[in-house]
Amino acid sequence: MWNLHGTVAQEGDLAELVGSAHKVYIFNLKSGSEFHTHRGVILHDDLIGKSWGIQVFSHLGSPFFLMQPALGEILLELPRNTQILYPKEIGYILVTMGIGPGQHVLEAGTGSGALTSALAFAVGATGRVTSYEVRGEMQRTAIKNLDRLGLRDRVTLKLGDIANGFDETGVDALFLDVPNPFDYMPQVRKALKQGGFFGSILPTTNQVTILLTALRREGFAFIDVCEILLRFYKAEPDKLRPTDRMVAHTGYLIFARPVMLSQKEPIEISPNENAGEVDVIDPGC
Amino acid sequence: MWNLHGTVAQEGDLAELVGSAHKVYIFNLKSGSEFHTHRGVILHDDLIGKSWGIQVFSHLGSPFFLMQPALGEILLELPRNTQILYPKEIGYILVTMGIGPGQHVLEAGTGSGALTSALAFAVGATGRVTSYEVRGEMQRTAIKNLDRLGLRDRVTLKLGDIANGFDETGVDALFLDVPNPFDYMPQVRKALKQGGFFGSILPTTNQVTILLTALRREGFAFIDVCEILLRFYKAEPDKLRPTDRMVAHTGYLIFARPVMLSQKEPIEISPNENAGEVDVIDPGC
Amino acid sequence: MWNLHGTVAQEGDLAELVGSAHKVYIFNLKSGSEFHTHRGVILHDDLIGKSWGIQVFSHLGSPFFLMQPALGEILLELPRNTQILYPKEIGYILVTMGIGPGQHVLEAGTGSGALTSALAFAVGATGRVTSYEVRGEMQRTAIKNLDRLGLRDRVTLKLGDIANGFDETGVDALFLDVPNPFDYMPQVRKALKQGGFFGSILPTTNQVTILLTALRREGFAFIDVCEILLRFYKAEPDKLRPTDRMVAHTGYLIFARPVMLSQKEPIEISPNENAGEVDVIDPGC
Amino acid sequence: MWNLHGTVAQEGDLAELVGSAHKVYIFNLKSGSEFHTHRGVILHDDLIGKSWGIQVFSHLGSPFFLMQPALGEILLELPRNTQILYPKEIGYILVTMGIGPGQHVLEAGTGSGALTSALAFAVGATGRVTSYEVRGEMQRTAIKNLDRLGLRDRVTLKLGDIANGFDETGVDALFLDVPNPFDYMPQVRKALKQGGFFGSILPTTNQVTILLTALRREGFAFIDVCEILLRFYKAEPDKLRPTDRMVAHTGYLIFARPVMLSQKEPIEISPNENAGEVDVIDPGC
């Protein structure tokens, strides 16, 4: 179970051992189990009860740090059979789509459950993620991944083709991580509440073009297309410089919100110039 | 109060009216109040009870969309007297530092409360944000901003100089948004739990260099320096292209985790080759 | 006349005065003339004979530096009626398309003559630039610009529609700066020598897609699509950081080379293993 | 000899064979020689006299294109023992520093001669490049590279330490490709003409900071710091997207021009308001 609270490693916790060259191993602590690598063995019982952040050694003397894994590390290490979203995209998706504690978020396809996990973490115990997947094998991978993180109880996994529509309506946010989101706009419209948050990610400009056309046709507004570039630096105080190479592309993010155009009939109004409380907020930017 | 649930605008909700040229107005709905701009007036009572996402018109006939504001829009529109963090950085900070429902996060300085708001939203009703600020005026701005969002009860605001140390210990994550984070490393060490998440943002390479030196000296590991570039596109299906200009720099993000180096004494271990359950997880990347 | 040699400003030279806030004025030195701004007047005769790089003052006491203008400054300051190519693109075009002294380069459309000027500078007195333009007004602007730089005698300007083909054949390099380069691929094929360098710049991804299709159809190979991002820093030694904003997009550069696919008949060859001189060069990358 | 003119491959020409997977081989055509790879053999005599841009086959039937190599390809393939400048930087250096036919350019250190070659190409037969190098072995590598390109006669190579100063004075442009350019500012000042173009490239922000301080101290103005990011796309018409990875950093480019500050004595001037010819050029940007 993934738990970022607490100061001491406990039975059942998702733990991370980081060896030399920042090689990362993530697993659940279980009394009686052993952690094996070619750099030696460590007993889980020698980790349970230890403070997070300490250095431990294998029976061969190789050093490891005992850490609580960050979401980014879990996602990058996730057993998977598909392309995953990177932390740089996931963080921006959460903030842009207003995904936080208590929200109900809809997703398709589940894939290996990377975004599903991040969404489930963000909505918390009081929130809910419903995720559709058409391939049974992928769903089973996602279940394993969610189980390991202890996030499965917040997620409803559905096996089926979203071409047949979502069972849900009025959801706060809906993310499509499929190659052809443009084929499901009417279905999205029905499931997502008016004014809700729609998001998608697509690798090619051609797909973005088709999605933009579909979004306009279906009455979406506030359409944004963007990409996020993350550039790491060598963290040497006296030789500070960007790393030589970087990930140049994961995908284009597309966001939009379904709106309802009214017939243009100005609302009847007799503005009271002397009204006691008038809140006019003009950011002036 | 900022509430992203529900399908209908209600008294007390934080609402957003978006006029032509995407001009954004954010305010709390209050029966009897009026919304005034040079494009005309709208009565709050004509908004309360309406579905989110619909189009409304001022008494002069100007159209506006009635929306629930996204975190990114709130942050950009926040009344403030300092530089704020952008959504692109905030999303990445949340994901990288494992900030989610139930967490206890420490921050300094509060500033106008932009990051404080984002943190308070992310930790939810069961979490807690404690934020230090040395300038009383800034703290008052932050209080106003948090009040407006209905997030104040999750936040403990403290007026004081962190040079004197934090009152808290064992916090899960700590973010310093001050120009000289390098001066407070011992204080951070005491407040942040072993293995916890430290983060900071700095505008210049010179500051980054000093912070890196301080982090090394104080026994931080897993030090990452990065920057996030967000590039928007013109969302025209038949003329898809990046916008002409973009924000080129907000700051360098620095992340690190305090660790404890052990004296090198290899753990005594007699690996049981026949152990029933051995979980070796090697991502192999 | 634009002349980057010499150490002293001379009659006829293209000169640059740079005032406060880096305001740039570019003009030809002419005995008897005056330079007027709202910051005062400077007689050309007080500049002629002076060393480049010195500081001069207007009659109002405003300081200016007397400089030989760089190509980049000339291009940015060029009187024009169209979008121009930026130095970052022009430099890369020159290097990628092998454009240097003595080359014959074909261009369309001339536009305001910005790229034409850069090409004419690069091919030198022994090279030649032929540039087509369909709009007479644009060509007149280009002539003025080329005259001012003293580069007109290296350039053949032609008024006409390249849909009717180019008069030239066997040119070394051909650049199309038109919105629909894909419509002229057969014409390019006839004018450009086999194995020569083709280049173009287009603002939208949609146009790039169409051009790529056209290039493949017409037997071009070595097709490259790229974009160049130039990021400036504030040149403060103790506050080194990127500027806040940057140009995010000028256009996508597309390069390709026309090739001739042979019928697959392996060349008859009896390799002489004992040949005295065998130059095998394998970069091994 | 590197020659981008002509339509037919000739004895002595620098030729390029490009095999499958864009593997590039660059060599000089020499009657009687053979080109050997593990994909088979091609006789130089079967290439000499052929049109550039055609496809040829090895005795094993492997296809190759016969091309004139572009500067970028030569640089990337150059036998070298040091880090080289990339075409993206070289193009921008040429344009920014006004380097073209007939110019005299000074450089240190020579290194493997990559930038030297590009400079020699750009200044043409009427220009001159003088390049200093302190390591004899590097100079010998550069000589080989320049010989192969047929550019050696435009270059004066000097073996020596620029700490002792340059022999030249009044040069138009000077580029320092050394790790400690800041140590040679007085020497640069003596060699470079007033108002000339100085350029350098440095990998770390710390070095840039030191150079900026040195440039200010020595009376340089128009100081620019920038970096160039080149992003390639997969050239698939129906799947247009950036490549997955890119070069994130080669170095920071620094440009500056030596100027002479005058004592502030406003020039005496009686502006003739009725002067017949007054050229006021205000770009108004």
Side-chain angles (χ1 to χ4, degrees), chain C residues 4-7 16 18 22-28 30 33-36 41-44 46 51-59 61 65 67-68 70-73 77 87-88 90-92 94-96 98-103 121-124 172 193-195 197 205 208-209 212-213 216 222-233 235-237 240 252 257 259-269 271-273 275 277-283, chain D residues 4-7 16 18 22-28 30 33-34 36 41-44 46 51-59 61 65 67-68 70-73 77 87-88 90-92 94-96 98-103 121-124 148 172 193-195 197 205 208-209 212-213 216 222-233 235-237 240 252 257 259-269 271-272 275 277-284:
Chain C
L4 290 170
H5 304 285
T7 57
E16 176 186 73
V18 186
H22 275 222
K23 196 159 174 56
V24 169
Y25 305 85
I26 298 176
F27 53 93
N28 290 291
K30 184 169 186 179
S33 287
E34 298 177 355
F35 167 78
H36 282 230
V41 176
I42 296 176
L43 300 180
H44 284 211
D46 286 334
S51 166
W52 295 114
I54 65 159
Q55 203 174 26
V56 297
F57 297 90
S58 74
H59 81 292
F65 283 111
M67 310 298 289
Q68 290 172 304
L71 182 57
E73 293 162 322
E77 185 266 0
K88 66 188 172 88
I90 288 178
Y92 192 69
L94 295 178
V95 169
T96 303
I99 295 167
Q103 226 83 11
F121 174 71
V123 300
D172 303 318
K193 75 180 183 192
Q194 198 82 335
F197 295 93
T205 61
V208 174
T209 285
L212 290 177
T213 304
R216 289 185 168 199
F222 305 106
I223 303 175
D224 274 326
V225 179
C226 65
E227 53 181 339
I228 298 175
L229 296 165
L230 177 59
R231 197 181 189 204
F232 280 101
Y233 282 69
E236 300 282 337
L240 183 64
Y252 298 99
R257 300 177 76 173
V259 294
M260 178 68 75
L261 286 175
S262 306
Q263 267 193 288
K264 186 155 182 172
E265 314 175 65
I267 295 166
E268 291 295 338
I269 189 170
N272 176 359
E273 297 293 337
E277 290 185 47
V278 179
D279 52 355
V280 178
I281 293 160
D282 181 345
Chain D
L4 290 170
H5 305 284
T7 56
E16 176 186 74
V18 187
H22 275 222
K23 195 156 178 54
V24 169
Y25 305 85
I26 299 177
F27 53 93
N28 290 289
K30 183 168 185 181
S33 287
E34 298 178 357
H36 281 230
V41 176
I42 297 176
L43 300 180
H44 284 210
D46 284 332
S51 166
W52 296 113
I54 65 158
Q55 203 174 25
V56 296
F57 297 89
S58 74
H59 82 291
F65 283 111
M67 312 298 289
Q68 290 171 304
L71 182 55
E73 292 162 322
E77 185 267 0
K88 67 188 171 83
I90 288 178
Y92 192 69
L94 296 178
V95 169
T96 303
I99 296 166
Q103 227 83 11
F121 174 70
V123 300
R148 186 165 158 239
D172 303 319
K193 76 179 181 190
Q194 199 81 332
F197 295 94
T205 62
V208 174
T209 284
L212 290 177
T213 305
R216 288 185 169 200
F222 306 107
I223 303 175
D224 273 328
V225 178
C226 65
E227 52 181 340
I228 298 174
L229 297 166
L230 176 59
R231 197 182 190 202
F232 280 101
Y233 282 69
E236 299 282 335
L240 184 63
Y252 298 100
R257 300 176 74 173
V259 294
M260 179 67 74
L261 286 174
S262 306
Q263 268 193 289
K264 184 153 184 172
E265 312 174 66
I267 294 166
E268 291 296 337
I269 190 172
N272 178 359
E277 291 185 46
V278 179
D279 53 354
V280 179
I281 293 161
D282 182 345

Side-chain angles (χ1 to χ4, degrees), chain D residues 6-274:
Chain D
T7 56
V8 171
Q10 297 184 332
E11 165 93 24
D13 279 354
L14 195 71
E16 176 186 74
L17 285 179
V18 187
S20 58
H22 275 222
K23 195 156 178 54
V24 169
Y25 305 85
I26 299 177
F27 53 93
N28 290 289
L29 290 174
K30 183 168 185 181
S31 185
S33 287
E34 298 178 357
F35 166 80
H36 281 230
T37 66
H38 69 286
R39 292 189 180 275
V41 176
I42 297 176
L43 300 180
H44 284 210
D45 289 316
D46 284 332
L47 301 174
I48 294 168
K50 287 286 195 316
S51 166
W52 296 113
I54 65 158
Q55 203 174 25
V56 296
F57 297 89
S58 74
H59 82 291
L60 297 176
S62 297
F64 293 87
F65 283 111
L66 174 64
M67 312 298 289
Q68 290 171 304
L71 182 55
E73 292 162 322
I74 292 172
L75 294 178
L76 292 175
E77 185 267 0
L78 218 58
R80 62 177 177 268
N81 4 19
T82 54
Q83 173 95 15
I84 64 150
L85 287 162
Y86 278 71
K88 67 188 171 83
E89 272 87 28
I90 288 178
Y92 192 69
I93 289 168
L94 296 178
V95 169
T96 303
M97 296 180 68
I99 296 166
Q103 227 83 11
H104 183 193
V105 182
L106 206 54
E107 179 204 24
T110 310
S112 58
L115 179 60
T116 321
S117 301
L119 295 172
F121 174 70
V123 300
T126 60
R128 182 118 222 104
V129 177
T130 305
S131 184
Y132 285 72
E133 174 59 56
V134 75
R135 296 159 294 175
E137 189 192 357
M138 290 304 310
Q139 198 187 54
R140 281 187 292 277
T141 301
I143 289 172
K144 253 183 251 169
N145 286 331
L146 288 165
D147 269 341
R148 186 165 158 239
L149 297 174
L151 292 169
R152 193 177 166 192
D153 58 339
R154 302 172 187 182
V155 180
T156 306
L157 293 170
K158 298 195 170 180
L159 198 61
D161 188 345
I162 59 171
N164 303 323
F166 297 93
D167 304 330
E168 296 73 18
T169 58
V171 297
D172 303 319
L174 191 159
F175 195 89
L176 288 190
D177 185 10
V178 298
N180 57 337
F182 28 78
D183 289 337
Y184 309 116
M185 286 301 107
Q187 292 87 335
V188 168
R189 259 298 204 173
K190 279 185 195 149
L192 184 59
K193 76 179 181 190
Q194 199 81 332
F197 295 94
F198 169 77
S200 191
I201 187 166
L202 290 168
T204 75
T205 62
N206 314 70
Q207 290 164 300
V208 174
T209 284
I210 304 173
L211 178 55
L212 290 177
T213 305
L215 285 168
R216 288 185 169 200
R217 194 179 52 224
E218 289 292 330
F220 282 82
F222 306 107
I223 303 175
D224 273 328
V225 178
C226 65
E227 52 181 340
I228 298 174
L229 297 166
L230 176 59
R231 197 182 190 202
F232 280 101
Y233 282 69
K234 296 195 180 178
E236 299 282 335
D238 54 347
K239 287 180 190 167
L240 184 63
R241 47 163 292 186
T243 53
D244 294 323
R245 299 194 161 260
M246 65 183 277
V247 172
H249 187 65
T250 43
Y252 298 100
L253 289 170
I254 303 97
F255 299 105
R257 300 176 74 173
V259 294
M260 179 67 74
L261 286 174
S262 306
Q263 268 193 289
K264 184 153 184 172
E265 312 174 66
I267 294 166
E268 291 296 337
I269 190 172
S270 319
N272 178 359
E273 297 293 339
N274 302 316

Side-chain angles (χ1 to χ4, degrees), chain C residues 69-97:
Chain C
L71 182 57
E73 293 162 322
I74 293 172
L75 294 178
L76 292 175
E77 185 266 0
L78 217 58
R80 62 176 176 269
N81 9 20
T82 53
Q83 171 95 16
I84 63 149
L85 286 163
Y86 279 72
K88 66 188 172 88
E89 272 88 27
I90 288 178
Y92 192 69
I93 289 168
L94 295 178
V95 169
T96 303
M97 296 179 68

Side-chain angles (χ1 to χ4, degrees), chain A residues 62-94:
Chain A
S62 298
F64 293 87
F65 283 112
L66 173 65
M67 311 297 290
Q68 289 172 304
L71 183 56
E73 292 162 322
I74 292 172
L75 294 178
L76 292 175
E77 185 266 0
L78 219 58
R80 62 178 176 269
N81 6 19
T82 53
Q83 172 95 15
I84 64 150
L85 287 161
Y86 279 72
K88 67 188 172 86
E89 272 87 29
I90 288 178
Y92 193 70
I93 289 168
L94 295 178

